Amino acid sequence: TCALPICAAVPEEKARPVRVSRFEEPPVIDGKLDEEVWKNAAVFKDFYQISPGDNTAPSLPTKASMGYDAKHIYFAFHCFDEPGKVRATIPKRDNVFVDDSIRIFLDTFNDKRKAYVLAFNPLGVQQDCIRTEGVSLDCSVDIVMESKGTLTEDGYIVEVSIPFKSLRYEAGKDKLWGIQIFRRILRLDEEHSWMPISQIG
């Protein structure tokens, strides 16, 4: 399901809950997708360009993958791009938007009112915030997580490991979380989204 912000009309294949795979072995967080476990991960693809486009086709494709084990939740992002054109520096933590970036909204209670906002630049530098409906973004939080990014011949890859104990959520079988994924490409001034977004105002 879709976390904040508001979703537009959702295609049928994205309206159904995504079943996330349990990993038998934890991936090494090294910015490489060479472990077998990623082949069994849940996949998020077919992103939309939401700025400047209005749910149009993006200039470049993005593929996100997700899995978990007993103690961690894992993400991998393969952001396709032209070699040498990715904007990637080593900024201070929470200042990743000076670069190209990927970010996740995790609505762990699936109430569409509050979400963790976790962002990463192409080298894996982190930003962590909490977004609450009607309230400004709170980036004073520091969530313990591990991330690593690498520049590749076809763009960049970021791998992330988040301990469940770093997040607040309601435990239990078949509990649904909301998720939304965004990608920002600075030089193109483009914002991409896994779910379509209503253009309001």
Side-chain angles (χ1 to χ4, degrees):
T1 58
C2 183
L4 307 176
I6 297 170
C7 284
V10 179
E12 183 180 349
E13 66 272 14
K14 292 189 177 184
R16 296 187 295 269
V18 175
R19 184 162 293 279
V20 180
S21 304
R22 184 182 177 109
F23 287 171
E24 297 300 322
E25 296 285 340
V28 176
I29 306 303
D30 57 4
K32 301 174 185 177
L33 299 181
D34 51 2
E35 292 95 356
E36 285 291 317
V37 292
W38 286 119
K39 294 180 180 179
N40 300 318
V43 173
F44 303 81
K45 58 183 181 177
D46 300 325
F47 281 57
Y48 299 85
Q49 182 189 143
I50 58 170
S51 178
D54 184 1
N55 296 322
T56 56
S59 298
L60 295 158
T62 305
K63 178 183 175 183
S65 304
M66 182 179 179
Y68 74 98
D69 60 20
K71 294 185 177 181
H72 297 83
I73 188 165
Y74 302 100
F75 290 94
F77 305 98
H78 194 163
C79 299
F80 294 88
D81 207 335
E82 298 177 56
K85 292 193 175 181
V86 174
R87 166 76 180 181
T89 64
I90 305 179
K92 292 181 180 179
R93 183 186 174 99
D94 289 341
N95 195 32
V96 302
F97 294 125
V98 299
D99 291 328
D100 291 345
S101 59
I102 192 89
R103 70 187 188 278
I104 326 162
F105 280 54
L106 279 181
D107 178 1
T108 55
F109 289 93
N110 199 36
D111 60 9
K112 300 179 175 65
R113 295 165 68 177
K114 182 178 284 191
Y116 292 98
V117 183
L118 309 176
F120 310 89
N121 86 341
L123 301 179
V125 178
Q126 304 171 0
Q127 180 185 49
D128 45 3
C129 306
I130 292 177
R131 176 174 174 154
T132 304
E133 185 179 37
V135 181
S136 60
L137 207 62
D138 176 10
C139 294
S140 66
V141 296
D142 281 318
I143 295 169
V144 175
M145 54 183 168
E146 183 182 2
S147 58
K148 173 70 174 177
T150 56
L151 301 180
T152 64
E153 293 182 353
D154 59 359
Y156 65 93
I157 292 170
V158 177
E159 280 185 298
V160 181
S161 171
I162 308 168
F164 280 111
K165 66 182 181 182
S166 293
L167 305 172
R168 293 186 61 214
Y169 61 96
E170 187 177 359
K173 187 178 180 181
D174 296 326
K175 294 289 184 182
L176 292 178
W177 289 15
I179 187 170
Q180 174 63 300
I181 304 168
F182 295 91
R183 178 184 177 185
R184 190 177 190 189
I185 307 173
L186 275 186
R187 75 177 188 281
L188 301 179
D189 195 25
E190 280 190 19
E191 185 92 7
H192 302 170
S193 167
W194 177 60
M195 296 288 264
I197 299 290
S198 294
Q199 303 292 339
I200 300 174

